[in-house]
Amino acid sequence: MEKRILGIVFSLMGAVGLIMAAVTFVNASGGTRNVKMIIIYAILGAVFFFAGMGLIRNTKDKPS
């Protein structure tokens, strides 16, 4: 159960990171700093999101 909760938290953090990357992309004026921020947010968001999804999918529930 703990892994499933951790997976949900990771998935939410990843979704927030991807949303931040999208918002920064839409509002960016094209500076080098903005491009780095977009790439970092997108990569970290994707890593957290897919790690969370993997934890949720591969965790078996124990019968109670």
Side-chain angles (χ1 to χ4, degrees), residues 4-37:
R4 189 171 293 256
I5 293 171
L6 189 62
I8 292 169
V9 171
F10 279 172
S11 296
L12 291 174
M13 286 173 46
V16 168
L18 291 172
I19 289 169
M20 287 176 60
V23 169
T24 305
F25 178 74
V26 170
N27 294 331
S29 61
T32 304
R33 183 172 181 265
N34 287 338
V35 172
K36 288 180 184 178
M37 283 177 41

Side-chain angles (χ1 to χ4, degrees), residues 18-63:
L18 291 172
I19 289 169
M20 287 176 60
V23 169
T24 305
F25 178 74
V26 170
N27 294 331
S29 61
T32 304
R33 183 172 181 265
N34 287 338
V35 172
K36 288 180 184 178
M37 283 177 41
I38 293 169
I39 292 171
I40 290 170
Y41 287 152
I43 290 173
L44 287 176
V47 167
F48 276 106
F49 185 76
F50 289 116
M53 284 293 144
L55 276 173
I56 292 170
R57 189 175 334 133
N58 294 328
T59 303
K60 304 278 191 266
D61 282 334
K62 296 177 192 172

